[in-house]
């Protein structure tokens, strides 16, 4: 793959570093998608993909009609081992989900 194919990832990583360094603070709005596209010489879709990647990482949140903002509480990396569920516990969790799911 070319460098352009990974540009959205590079852009997301660049802004993630700025967020973690505190250069873009919690609650602060990210620059507009169009502005970043112009300044980084990429497409609007590339920036949107980068912002969605940051959102998936738990670093930013989209606010309809307003833009993307750095989350007040950043997602923490869980370094502990995931809790292992016993088969019975797993069955109970699935049943609990089924009970709360709306029927269409």
């Amino acid at each position: 793959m070319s460098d352009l194919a990974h540009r959205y990832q590079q852009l997301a990583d660049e802004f993630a570093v700025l967020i973690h360094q505190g250069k873009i603070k919690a609650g602060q709005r990210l620059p507009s998608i169009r502005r970043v596209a112009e300044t980084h010489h990429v497409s609007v879709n590339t920036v949107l993909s980068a912002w969605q990647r940051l959102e998936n990482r738990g670093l930013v949140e989209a606010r309809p009609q307003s833009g993307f903002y750095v989350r007040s509480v950043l997602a923490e990396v869980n370094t502990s081992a995931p809790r292992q569920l016993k088969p019975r516990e797993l069955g109970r969790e699935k049943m609990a989900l089924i009970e709360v799911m709306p029927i269409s």
Side-chain angles (χ1 to χ4, degrees), residues 29-70:
R29 185 177 185 271
L30 293 182
S32 75
I33 292 171
R34 284 190 181 98
R35 186 169 137 214
V36 173
E38 289 172 6
T39 59
H40 285 77
H41 306 290
V42 296
S43 72
V44 168
N45 285 334
T46 298
V47 179
L48 183 58
S49 294
W51 276 198
Q52 289 172 335
R53 201 131 173 109
L54 291 172
E55 188 174 26
N56 291 341
R57 291 183 191 176
L59 296 175
V60 302
E61 60 187 0
R63 295 184 189 168
Q65 306 298 313
S66 184
F68 286 82
Y69 290 78
V70 177

Side-chain angles (χ1 to χ4, degrees), residues 61-103:
E61 60 187 0
R63 295 184 189 168
Q65 306 298 313
S66 184
F68 286 82
Y69 290 78
V70 177
R71 291 178 55 108
S72 297
V73 178
L74 296 179
E76 293 182 20
V77 178
N78 186 358
T79 56
S80 63
R83 181 173 78 100
Q84 295 296 319
L85 295 176
K86 297 176 184 170
R88 285 189 180 153
E89 288 181 83
L90 184 59
R92 273 184 261 166
E93 285 192 3
K94 283 183 182 178
M95 288 306 295
L97 285 173
I98 291 170
E99 289 173 6
V100 297
M101 291 294 295
I103 298 175

